[in-house]
Amino acid sequence: MSKLTYQPRGRYFEQFEVGQELITAARTITEADIVNFAGMTGDYNQIHTDAEFAAKDTFGQRIAHGLLVQSIATGLAVQSGIIEGTVLAFRELSAKFSLPVFIGDTVHVELKITETKPLRRLGGGNINMKYAVYNQHGKAVQRGDWVMLIKSQNNS
């Protein structure tokens, strides 16, 4: 019987080009997401966890943690397969949280490669990408830049 070996689905550094774009699948934000994130991080801010408080506050209902949405966005990028098995490190990010995300909102991510920089001593190179997280109404709720170190095909 022959052995099966793992083959990464992700693209290697050399396969990324400036201008390439990707739209991920979508995912609905649930109350369980918010409760679990609060428990994991210790961020029990009432705007996220107290329905009565949030109903009387700025947005009229609970909102998802900005960093929860950021985490889901990176997960959607991984699930797309583009960096699965080839990402070596998430190196930098900048983010602007523009609009609230509510329980029941459905988000997806749009990515665009803006720069590639070989880093041979690290076994690959940096991929800079602009990202935007959109809700089901087509409004950007977050946007910014991600820099990821991606494995070189020569080092696989």
Side-chain angles (χ1 to χ4, degrees):
M1 185 178 286
S2 64
K3 288 185 179 181
L4 298 175
T5 57
Y6 171 74
Q7 296 295 316
R9 291 192 316 153
R11 292 183 182 172
Y12 291 97
F13 171 75
E14 295 81 6
Q15 295 172 307
F16 284 93
E17 297 176 17
V18 171
Q20 289 175 324
E21 297 182 13
L22 170 74
I23 298 175
T24 70
R27 182 185 185 295
T28 301
I29 307 302
T30 67
E31 181 175 19
D33 293 327
I34 293 170
V35 170
N36 288 330
F37 192 81
M40 182 178 66
T41 63
D43 181 352
Y44 288 98
N45 185 317
Q46 291 174 295
I47 195 68
H48 307 304
T49 60
D50 183 332
E52 292 300 313
F53 173 87
K56 297 172 191 158
D57 202 48
T58 307
F59 302 111
Q61 61 182 303
R62 288 174 289 165
I63 62 171
H65 303 73
L67 291 176
L68 166 62
V69 177
Q70 183 70 205
S71 297
I72 288 171
T74 59
L76 289 170
V78 171
Q79 289 173 21
S80 75
I82 195 167
I83 57 174
E84 184 184 312
T86 57
V87 65
L88 295 170
F90 196 133
R91 300 195 73 202
E92 296 177 37
L93 69 90
S94 67
K96 180 174 182 165
F97 302 168
S98 308
L99 294 171
V101 175
F102 302 109
I103 295 169
D105 279 356
T106 299
V107 297
H108 75 276
V109 183
E110 297 186 14
L111 302 167
K112 183 173 184 175
I113 306 303
T114 58
E115 184 181 352
T116 62
K117 180 181 178 184
L119 297 169
R120 287 177 186 79
R121 68 179 178 80
L122 297 177
N126 278 349
I127 302 299
N128 296 37
M129 54 189 96
K130 293 252 179 234
Y131 76 92
V133 181
Y134 291 94
N135 66 17
Q136 69 274 14
H137 305 295
K139 294 185 177 176
V141 298
Q142 291 186 9
R143 63 178 69 234
D145 295 282
W146 290 339
V147 179
M148 296 184 191
L149 178 61
I150 305 295
K151 187 185 297 186
S152 176
Q153 202 161 12
N154 304 326
N155 295 334
S156 57

